[in-house]
Amino acid sequence: FIKDLKKLNMSQEKELDMVDRDPNQLNAHVKVQFEDVLAEPDGAHSIDCVWRCSYMCFNCGKNCCYKLMTTLCGLFIALYWGCEFAFITFDQVWCITPSLRIFSIYMGCAQKFFGTCVTCFLAPICETCGLMFSRITVKNQ
């Protein structure tokens, strides 16, 4: 049973791209390379050895911390966001969309009702104003 479930699951999922993990450029703004974070302007350079060691320390610290945090928290955070988007989808499909449909139906009735009321109250006034102003004549001398 578990083998069949795994085969079914694998056939339903598309293949993950393990190299390009941001194909839609969602995090293109996140610049975390050494050159994006640290830079020395002309005229203010540290010793070459310090700059090279800083580069290695930066990358080591960034990579180790990121891997540690994703190992400890990544799965739980992914599970949380999966559940969150499942809730949003559920809410939209089963609550929001039917509510909007009901609102649209009632507003259609309200529009007809208020349109009729406006026609009943304003049509006589507009007709009277039209009759009054139709008697006005302008003569150029």
Side-chain angles (χ1 to χ4, degrees):
F1 173 74
I2 293 176
K3 284 184 179 180
D4 293 335
L5 185 61
K6 285 182 182 179
K7 286 179 186 177
L8 177 66
N9 194 23
M10 291 181 124
S11 67
Q12 289 177 347
E13 289 183 15
K14 66 178 188 175
E15 190 71 26
L16 280 178
D17 186 350
M18 298 305 288
V19 176
D20 182 13
R21 296 187 184 187
D22 191 9
N24 296 327
Q25 300 297 310
L26 296 176
N27 291 308
H29 64 284
V30 181
K31 304 288 186 190
V32 295
Q33 296 298 324
F34 180 78
E35 297 83 9
D36 298 325
V37 177
L38 296 173
E40 291 182 326
D42 290 335
H45 287 190
S46 60
I47 302 169
D48 290 347
C49 174
V50 170
W51 191 248
R52 279 191 208 96
C53 288
S54 298
Y55 175 81
M56 290 188 294
C57 288
F58 176 88
N59 284 321
C60 181
K62 177 184 62 112
N63 293 337
C64 289
C65 286
Y66 185 75
K67 287 177 177 143
L68 178 66
M69 288 186 296
T70 55
T71 301
L72 295 177
C73 304
L75 298 175
F76 299 109
I77 292 172
L79 177 63
Y80 165 78
W81 283 115
C83 292
E84 182 70 27
F85 281 100
F87 174 74
I88 289 170
T89 304
F90 175 84
D91 192 40
Q92 287 290 318
V93 169
W94 295 100
C95 301
I96 303 298
T97 302
S99 297
L100 288 174
R101 177 59 60 200
I102 289 172
F103 182 75
S104 176
I105 291 168
Y106 281 128
M107 288 300 106
C109 292
Q111 183 180 20
K112 289 177 184 176
F113 173 76
F114 287 115
T116 302
C117 290
V118 166
T119 301
C120 288
F121 291 121
L122 291 182
I125 294 171
C126 292
E127 188 176 342
T128 302
C129 289
L131 288 172
M132 285 182 357
F133 293 130
S134 68
R135 298 281 184 191
I136 295 176
T137 56
V138 177
K139 294 181 183 179
N140 290 330
Q141 290 186 6

